[in-house]
Amino acid sequence: MTRQLIVAVFGSVETARQAANDFEALSEKNEGFHIENGVVVEKDANGKLAVLDAESRPFKGGVIGAIAGGLLGLLAGPIGMVTGMAAGAGAGILAQAAGNALLDGTFVETVAARLVPGSVAVILEAKEDTPFSVDNVVTGFGGKVFRQTLD
């Protein structure tokens, strides 16, 4: 399986939560898709990113990996901030630096352009054999998916 950073962007919190639940169900089936870690974030009207509260995160432990944390740091920008990160879930400076080093600039720019104020993203570090299952979930909920290979 190929290790991927997957970002699925949706127009509402409810839609993103439904998609996140479907991603978790796919992962539990052990049929070519496995979530290593993930988080659901919302970009508010002021452009700030907020990690949705713990009970809304379907991902076990709600842990943000180094690469996903690095992406959050880049998407928040130099004056932006990421709020609502639970203890143990936030990526520290070293983790963000490690994640940033692995992220392609074009990928980050593309995600940033799509993650407009009022939108919600499900960010996953996952392993997948093929993109079809995740793509079907995202398309079914009217979202847009972006990937960067991590291996």
Side-chain angles (χ1 to χ4, degrees), residues 96-109:
Q96 283 190 4
N100 293 351
L102 298 173
L103 294 172
D104 175 78
T106 303
F107 172 79
V108 174
E109 289 173 12

Side-chain angles (χ1 to χ4, degrees), residues 67 121 137:
I67 298 169
V137 169

Side-chain angles (χ1 to χ4, degrees), residues 71-130:
L71 177 62
L72 285 176
L74 290 171
L75 292 175
I79 59 171
M81 72 173 22
V82 179
T83 60
M85 298 179 103
I93 293 171
L94 291 177
Q96 283 190 4
N100 293 351
L102 298 173
L103 294 172
D104 175 78
T106 303
F107 172 79
V108 174
E109 289 173 12
T110 302
V111 171
R114 183 66 182 196
L115 188 60
V116 297
S119 62
V120 183
V122 179
I123 302 173
L124 304 171
E125 290 180 41
K127 293 181 180 176
E128 64 181 350
D129 286 334
T130 68

Side-chain angles (χ1 to χ4, degrees), residues 6-81:
I6 302 169
V7 180
V9 180
F10 302 95
S12 73
V13 171
E14 183 58 32
T15 303
R17 286 179 178 164
Q18 290 173 334
N21 287 331
D22 284 0
F23 296 147
E24 184 67 21
L26 284 172
S27 184
E28 289 176 357
K29 287 182 181 180
N30 295 318
E31 296 177 354
F33 177 72
H34 174 73
I35 297 171
E36 293 179 345
N37 58 73
V39 65
V40 180
V41 297
E42 180 177 24
K43 190 167 194 176
D44 70 15
N46 297 321
K48 291 182 183 174
L49 289 177
V51 175
L52 298 183
D53 51 20
E55 57 270 11
S56 72
R57 280 187 250 139
F59 310 110
K60 293 181 177 58
V63 175
I64 301 171
I67 298 169
L71 177 62
L72 285 176
L74 290 171
L75 292 175
I79 59 171
M81 72 173 22

